[in-house]
Each structure stands twice: as C-alpha cells, then as structure tokens.
C-alpha cells in the first residue's frame, strides 16, 4: 500500500506562550491566525492557559472554531481552562476523545501531560507534554509518561510538545528505545531559532513526515515556532 492510500492526518505542536508575542504584546487573534495557517487536523498547544487562579484560557474559547476550523477537545478539569497544566488539544470536527488520563509529572516545578485516545480514521493516542527546565527532572518525567503508557493497551501513539531539551544527541534516551524521534529543526527562539526544544515522537507503527510551515515576518506570535508533520498509519 502506498503512503498516499493510507489513512492520514496533519498534526502540529506549538507553545503559544499564553499569547505573548516577541513584541511583548499579548494577541490571541494573532495566535489563532497562526494556528489556522498550519491547516492541521490536530494541534497540541502548550502554555494555552494562564498559570494563576483557575488557570483561564489564554485564547477566547468562543472564537477558536470560527478562526481556525478546529474545536477544543474537552481535556481540562474546569470550565475556564482550555487544557491541563497548559496542555490543550484542538481538532477537526468529528475527532472525539474516547479515552483520557491526566498526569501530574514529577519535579520541583508544576508540570503535566495528558494521554488522549482519539476517535480518528484509525486508532490513535496523543500524549501532549510540556516537560521541565532541568534534564534530571525531564528524565523522571519521561519515565513517568512511559510507565503510564505501559498501563494502557497498545495503540499507535504520538508524544508531542515542548520537551525543553536543547540537545539533539542526549536527554531523550528514556523513550528513544521504544519510540521514533522525528528529525525536526530548531524552534526556539522564534526570531532566530537554534534550539530544538519542541519535539514529535511516535511509535514505530506510524509513519510521520516533517512538514514546513508558513512563517510570518516581523514580530512572532510566540517565542517558539510550531512543529508540523503528516501522519500515516501503516
């Protein structure tokens, strides 16, 4: 079967920095326009919620669908947050959640991940993450994610988000043996990126192809660039 005949989705990940651009203006509409330009079927967002109080969404929930063609998936734990520990998922209409686990990740700073099983053209599990600033903590967090996945039945899986890992060679060994680390370019800082902080990792039963994405001139909507990939089931 050729790749073109397999079920396929376009997926993306973007740390939107709570809508704060490189010009230090908080502009949710600019972020929404950036999400729309990706033309993705599933988008994992990091820093989608503010950190204080009830952690309200940094994006206007009532304008997301009209601006991007995507709908927020119900993965938060209250009525005002878009996600969990700032991790949110947007998806094309018709893609639904059929399984959900919230993870509090170990470390000195509050971090979390969500494991989401989706009703897509073929079975798919998304793990949306935002890992810690210190490598020792990130390794413990990856161990926790791997242990959580082992409690679930096998399912084609993509782990994506802000891994906060600067190195292309070390730091991700906890998952390198079981998952494929997609070769993608640097994403931080967005004006002149040279650090590959954002990553897409997938199980071997999937094929993912990195895609280029449109870049705006001038001030950027976030200090991170998004990642974009085409996903094919084998």
């Amino acid at each position: 079967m050729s790749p073109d005949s397999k079920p396929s989705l376009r997926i993306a990940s973007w740390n939107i920095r709570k809508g704060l651009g490189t010009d230090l203006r908080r502009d949710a509409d600019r972020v929404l326009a950036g999400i729309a330009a990706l033309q993705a079927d599933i988008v994992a967002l990091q820093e989608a919620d503010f950190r204080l109080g009830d952690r309200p969404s940094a994006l206007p929930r009532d304008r997301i669908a009209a601006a991007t063609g995507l709908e927020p998936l119900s993965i938060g734990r209250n009525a005002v947050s878009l996600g969990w520990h700032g991790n949110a998922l947007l998806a094309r209409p018709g893609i639904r959640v059929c399984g959900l686990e919230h993870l509090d990740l170990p470390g000195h700073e509050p971090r979390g991940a969500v494991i989401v099983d989706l009703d897509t053209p073929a079975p798919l599990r998304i793990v949306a993450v935002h890992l810690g600033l210190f490598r020792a903590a990130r390794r413990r967090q990856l161990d926790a994610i791997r242990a959580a996945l082992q409690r679930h039945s096998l399912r084609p899986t993509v782990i994506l988000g802000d891994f906060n890992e600067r190195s292309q060679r070390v730091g991700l060994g906890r998952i390198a043996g079981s998952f494929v680390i997609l070769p993608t370019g640097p994403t931080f800082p967005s004006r002149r990126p040279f650090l590959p902080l954002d990553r897409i990792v997938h199980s071997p039963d999937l094929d993912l192809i990195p895609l280029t994405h449109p870049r705006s001139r001038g001030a950027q909507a976030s200090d991170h660039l998004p990642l974009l990939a085409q996903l094919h089931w084998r």
Side-chain angles (χ1 to χ4, degrees), residues 3-185:
D4 289 342
S5 63
K6 301 175 186 177
S8 178
L9 289 174
R10 180 180 275 209
I11 64 170
S13 177
W14 193 14
N15 183 331
I16 62 170
R17 198 192 186 188
K18 309 176 196 68
L20 187 67
T22 55
D23 55 1
L24 301 183
R25 287 196 308 112
R26 206 174 294 280
D27 188 341
D29 289 329
R30 181 167 55 183
V31 173
L32 292 174
I35 294 170
L38 296 172
Q39 299 183 349
D41 299 293
I42 300 170
V43 180
L45 301 176
Q46 303 85 52
E47 298 194 30
D49 300 318
F50 293 103
R51 294 184 69 91
L52 300 179
D54 292 332
R55 302 197 64 157
S57 171
L59 300 177
R61 187 188 293 266
D62 59 348
R63 299 213 308 271
I64 291 174
T68 69
L70 306 175
E71 298 175 344
L73 296 181
S74 297
I75 63 171
R77 280 189 164 174
N78 62 40
V80 298
S81 295
L82 200 62
W84 167 250
H85 280 281
N87 295 296
L89 285 174
L90 309 180
R92 292 282 175 207
I95 295 177
R96 298 180 179 87
V97 175
C98 56
L100 172 63
E101 180 179 355
H102 297 91
L103 292 178
D104 281 309
L105 297 178
H108 295 298
E109 25 168 7
R111 297 284 176 174
V114 285
I115 300 175
V116 185
D117 289 352
L118 296 175
D119 182 6
T120 43
L124 181 64
R125 175 173 293 143
I126 295 288
V127 185
V129 306
H130 189 181
L131 302 184
L133 297 175
F134 301 101
R135 183 170 288 157
R138 290 195 294 272
R139 284 172 169 160
R140 292 173 59 204
Q141 290 161 5
L142 289 172
D143 282 342
I145 291 168
R146 186 178 60 184
L149 288 173
Q150 289 172 348
R151 297 193 296 268
H152 290 256
S153 61
L154 289 177
R155 191 177 180 94
T157 298
V158 178
I159 308 172
L160 74 173
D162 183 354
F163 280 59
N164 265 318
E165 178 53 65
R166 295 168 173 245
S167 175
Q168 292 277 24
R169 300 187 305 276
V170 298
L172 300 181
R174 295 298 201 273
I175 56 173
S178 304
F179 291 87
V180 178
I181 301 171
L182 194 67
T184 50

Side-chain angles (χ1 to χ4, degrees), residues 192-205:
R192 294 184 179 179
F194 67 96
L195 296 174
L197 298 189
D198 304 273
R199 305 295 178 93
I200 299 177
V201 178
H202 63 91
S203 54
D205 48 7

